[in-house]
Amino acid sequence: MDKEVFCIKKILAIMMINIFIVMIGVGLITPILPKLIIEFGASGQSIGLLVAAYGMTQFLLSPMTGQLSDRYGRKAFIIVGVIVFAVAKLIFAIGDELWMLYTSRLLEGVAAALIVPPMMAYVADITTTEERAKGNSLLAAAMSFGFVIGPGLGGFLAGYGTRVPLYTATGAAIVAVIFPMICLPESLSKEQMKAARARVIQRESIFKQYVRSLKSKYAMLFVLVLVMTFGLANFESVLGLYVTNRFQFSPEHISIILTVGAVIGVSMQALLVAKVIHIFGEKRVIKGSLLFTSFAYILFLFAKDFWSILLVTSGIFFATAMLRPALNTQLSKMAGSEQGYVAGMNNAYMSIGNILGPTLAGFLFDANIFAPFIAGCCILWITFLITLKLK
């Protein structure tokens, strides 16, 4: 049993390293985007659309990759995903035209669709129902830490050159391919994959899958995943522009705010979330996190110095750190033999949030710098009210 526990911990560590590297690469472009956009003569809306492009391909492919990993295994998708991600970062690093940046971001979405659903399903494959919250918390911690620390690391590396963060991410992704290729076993047996292939009667279009998901028992939780991702993406995409325009914060200030928030979020996910979920249950954690975040968005508008902004931002990351694993665990417990499908749709709804959040935030920010945060608060508050009916 001890050997089995050690093996599970080793596998989780490998997946955490990979998803951490990928999410860093996704987030580290945030502090260098304004400079790149100025170089290309684009607008603030271009930043929102460029950030949102990542979610487009993730949205289209995630349902497919989740189901395919049920049929053909998790490992191959994870390896191919990291390779695609390395190619995407290289294109961004050498890009001298705006279309190349969009191509890179679209490929990043492909990589996320290939990596995240199989990883989430993998955790369900190797953990018991009792241990699943802990496994999901650790994987979510690595995702959140990478996604949020990315901007901080990007701001630091950008001091050595605007493209340095991108070349660094490319090299890290190439190294990350080695870990799953050599050390990661396949979590599904041949019999399980064969049974999953036998269950497939006919192929559905992507949009039929989304319609079916909204009629399924997972519908409310999928909507919550969308709202959670929307809120964080909405907040992060304009945070730098907001504090720069209103308070003239430097890239170093922005990096510190995001990095501290990441450390707090990861600490919560790694050390406390599983225990909090065990004590209060997934549903109460979901409701409390939504309520807290909606109020924090309004408090953010009243913060007028570096320390108050740092405090409120850290609170938002803390609440998100609680919300993500609670949702993932609740979905995984309901999924049964549909782990790949549910993980794929989970990631797909995350991608919708990643599309809508930055896109709406960019348009709203151009109209009024306070509008993205007010809109985010309203949406989160309405969602909280809806969850009061969650059974």
Side-chain angles (χ1 to χ4, degrees):
M1 181 61 69
D2 290 339
K3 186 176 180 181
E4 182 180 346
V5 171
F6 174 78
C7 183
I8 291 174
K9 288 183 177 179
K10 184 181 75 172
I11 291 171
L12 283 173
I14 293 169
M15 291 195 294
M16 287 171 67
I17 290 170
N18 275 266
I19 200 66
F20 172 71
I21 290 173
V22 170
M23 289 299 124
I24 278 185
V26 171
L28 61 74
I29 70 166
T30 303
I32 63 176
L33 266 182
K35 187 173 181 180
L36 287 175
I37 291 299
I38 291 172
E39 287 181 8
F40 290 112
S43 66
Q45 292 179 6
S46 298
I47 294 181
L49 293 173
L50 193 59
V51 174
Y54 161 82
M56 289 295 297
T57 42
Q58 190 183 23
F59 163 79
L60 293 172
L61 296 178
S62 289
M64 185 188 308
T65 57
Q67 287 189 334
L68 288 175
S69 75
D70 280 339
R71 303 174 207 170
Y72 302 103
R74 323 292 190 199
K75 180 176 179 177
F77 286 90
I78 294 171
I79 293 172
V80 173
V82 180
I83 293 173
V84 172
F85 179 76
V87 173
K89 299 320 299 183
L90 181 60
I91 292 174
F92 206 106
I94 64 176
D96 55 3
E97 297 286 345
L98 195 58
W99 69 265
M100 295 180 72
L101 304 191
Y102 280 107
T103 300
S104 170
R105 292 293 288 174
L106 290 170
L107 282 176
E108 282 185 31
V110 173
L114 289 168
I115 296 169
V116 177
M119 278 194 176
M120 294 171 66
Y122 201 123
V123 171
D125 293 338
I126 65 175
T127 58
T128 63
T129 303
E130 293 74 21
E131 291 293 318
R132 198 157 299 162
K134 184 177 181 180
N136 282 326
S137 296
L138 291 172
L139 193 63
M143 290 177 65
S144 299
F145 191 39
F147 189 71
V148 184
I149 206 174
L153 182 60
F156 172 76
L157 292 175
Y160 299 95
T162 306
R163 308 279 176 159
V164 170
L166 302 165
Y167 286 114
T168 303
T170 304
I174 292 171
V175 173
V177 175
I178 299 172
F179 288 98
M181 192 175 291
I182 297 177
C183 306
L184 194 66
E186 176 53 58
S187 62
L188 296 177
S189 66
K190 292 182 179 179
E191 290 74 20
Q192 287 174 309
M193 289 184 271
K194 185 176 179 180
R197 291 194 293 270
R199 286 196 297 268
V200 179
I201 301 174
Q202 62 180 8
R203 292 188 177 184
E204 293 180 311
S205 69
I206 293 294
F207 297 102
K208 283 185 178 180
Q209 289 186 51
Y210 278 103
V211 171
R212 180 162 66 91
S213 71
L214 291 174
K215 296 178 180 179
S216 71
K217 60 182 179 180
Y218 316 111
M220 173 62 75
L221 294 174
F222 285 150
V223 171
L224 291 178
V225 168
L226 188 159
V227 172
M228 172 198 68
T229 313
F230 170 90
L232 188 60
N234 173 84
F235 180 79
E236 280 197 353
S237 62
V238 295
L239 171 63
L241 287 173
Y242 173 81
V243 295
T244 300
N245 280 285
R246 190 177 180 193
F247 304 111
Q248 291 74 53
F249 279 14
S250 68
E252 289 76 15
H253 284 121
I254 298 170
S255 297
I256 292 171
I257 290 170
L258 293 175
T259 303
V260 170
V263 171
I264 290 174
V266 171
S267 299
M268 294 302 100
Q269 287 175 327
L271 302 175
L272 293 179
V273 172
K275 295 178 181 178
V276 172
I277 291 175
H278 179 72
I279 295 171
F280 295 103
E282 290 87 356
K283 292 166 189 155
R284 288 182 180 175
V285 173
I286 290 169
K287 294 172 185 177
S289 299
L290 286 169
L291 179 62
F292 183 91
T293 307
S294 65
F295 279 112
Y297 267 49
I298 293 299
L299 287 176
F300 181 79
L301 298 180
F302 291 95
K304 295 184 179 180
D305 58 56
F306 173 79
W307 293 107
S308 59
I309 289 173
L310 175 64
L311 179 63
V312 177
T313 302
S314 299
I316 291 172
F317 286 127
F318 165 79
T320 305
M322 301 293 289
L323 180 58
R324 190 187 302 275
L327 284 169
N328 291 346
T329 301
Q330 183 67 27
L331 279 166
S332 181
K333 285 182 177 181
M334 295 171 64
S337 61
E338 296 183 306
Q339 294 295 338
Y341 164 73
V342 171
M345 293 308 302
N346 185 351
N347 197 48
Y349 279 94
M350 285 174 60
S351 71
I352 298 174
N354 282 325
I355 296 168
L356 296 180
T359 303
L360 179 62
F363 282 105
L364 290 175
F365 186 86
D366 285 344
N368 185 289
I369 64 172
F370 302 112
F373 308 102
I374 295 173
C377 171
C378 293
I379 292 171
L380 289 168
W381 172 250
I382 292 170
T383 308
F384 164 73
L385 294 178
I386 293 173
T387 61
L388 295 178
K389 297 183 180 180
L390 185 64
K391 297 182 181 180

